[in-house]
Amino acid sequence: MVELKNDRFLRAMLKQPVDTTPVWIMRQAGRYLPEYRATRAKAGSFMDLCMNADLASEVTLQPLERYDLDAAILFSDILTIPDAMGLGLYFAEGEGPRFKKVITKRKDVEALGVPDPEQELSYVMNAVRTIRRDLKGRVPLIGFSGSPWTLATYMVEGGSSKDFGRVKGMMYDDPAAMHLLLEKLADSVTLYLNAQIAAGAQAVMIFDTWGGLLTPKTYKEFSLDYMQRIISGLQREAEGREIPVTLFTKGGGQWLEAMADTGCTGLGLDWTINISDAKKRVGDKVALQGNMDPCVLYGSADTIRQQVSDIIADFGEGSGHVFNLGHGIHQHIDPDNVKVLVDAVHEFGQQ
Ligand code: 1CP
């Protein structure tokens, strides 16, 4: 097994001392990069790209060629699990993800199985192994999954949604069916993340993109409790190192204490709270990842540098900060601005 040349990200996640603040960017491999668009065109469709381990590895490494990033993230999608459950994921041009089959009633939920990650999702594990080989120990590889609640929103809505009326409707109209769906998803996610860790993922992140639409009570019951169950079932060591787990609920700023109690290693923050406030509330328990508004990248180099400097100063002394955006990078961002961001983090982050 190759030594890690840059372990700043893993060290900061564990609140160990670092020479400077590590940085990676949600959706760092993606449509804002012309080289990504070229590889995607070569692959055919987005799913063809995910299913071809060499091309998935190529796009995972593309942002590392341009920028001094401290972590790579597996190129895949959270919707691989519902696809493996038989829902038939496809991407209509310019429309985002869609499913051929949609979950509308309890019978649909009962018919769902829990996918075996080394069977139905073996293409993801092959991608993890190939990326680890191609990274040659440059930086750690982050694996990921969607949260059960976030996956359920896509499965019940049939794709992206504006008001989430169907999935929240099912939650209130037939809570037992919703719990059965979330249980099957929690089991699937646990197996899936453990398989990614066994294949070589050195950290994992749970994306709860739509947990923030719930009420405090339903957030706990329908999202957080299932994420906690997943975290309790994860393999937390591999290759002699701890596997950090990051929990990210977009819009979850008011629930940080409960999130930090799940046993995760770090919390992802969106831009709606100050990182210093988050640190006061939970910083003795967990590392913090974030939290620049992705739209700052539409600003000038001076604006980007100022915002980076402000966030790093706001976090203040000590380790336990991984710089990131508060959500994924937009597709119309100028790639040169990402270099300004990454270099500014390393400059201002020096302890
Ligand atoms: O046309 C294309 O090329 C597809 C665009 C795209 C990309 C680049 C999609 C479709 N998924 C991805 C990759 C992806 N998705 C990664 C790769 C690693 C990285 O570089 O970060 C990751 C981590 C995801 C995770 C993901 N997919 C989330 C959770 C994170 C988040 O942004 O909130 C969600 C909600 C999805 C669903 C999804 N897949 C794709 C799109 C456009 C969407 C969002 C749809 C929506 O807004 O509802």
Side-chain angles (χ1 to χ4, degrees), residues 188-250:
S188 304
V189 170
T190 308
L191 291 170
Y192 185 56
L193 288 177
N194 278 334
Q196 290 183 32
I197 293 164
Q202 290 150 297
V204 294
M205 175 153 168
I206 301 173
F207 287 95
D208 187 29
T209 305
W210 304 121
L213 347 144
L214 293 166
T215 64
K217 185 166 178 287
T218 55
Y219 173 68
K220 183 182 180 313
E221 184 180 340
F222 293 91
S223 188
L224 189 69
D225 284 356
Y226 290 97
M227 296 195 287
Q228 173 150 25
R229 199 193 288 193
I230 291 163
I231 292 168
S232 323
L234 289 182
Q235 180 73 41
R236 294 298 280 272
E237 209 196 287
E239 303 171 42
R241 288 188 88 129
E242 187 170 336
I243 304 288
V245 179
T246 304
L247 198 60
F248 171 60
T249 292
K250 184 164 178 283

Side-chain angles (χ1 to χ4, degrees), residues 10-11 25 30 39 52 64 98-100 141 143 150 160 187 189 206 237 241-242 287 320 333 347:
L10 294 180
R11 294 182 62 85
I25 290 166
T39 310
N52 181 321
L64 303 174
R98 309 285 318 161
F99 286 111
K100 292 196 188 110
L141 175 63
T150 292
S160 309
D187 289 347
V189 170
I206 301 173
E237 209 196 287
R241 288 188 88 129
E242 187 170 336
I333 293 298
E347 179 186 333

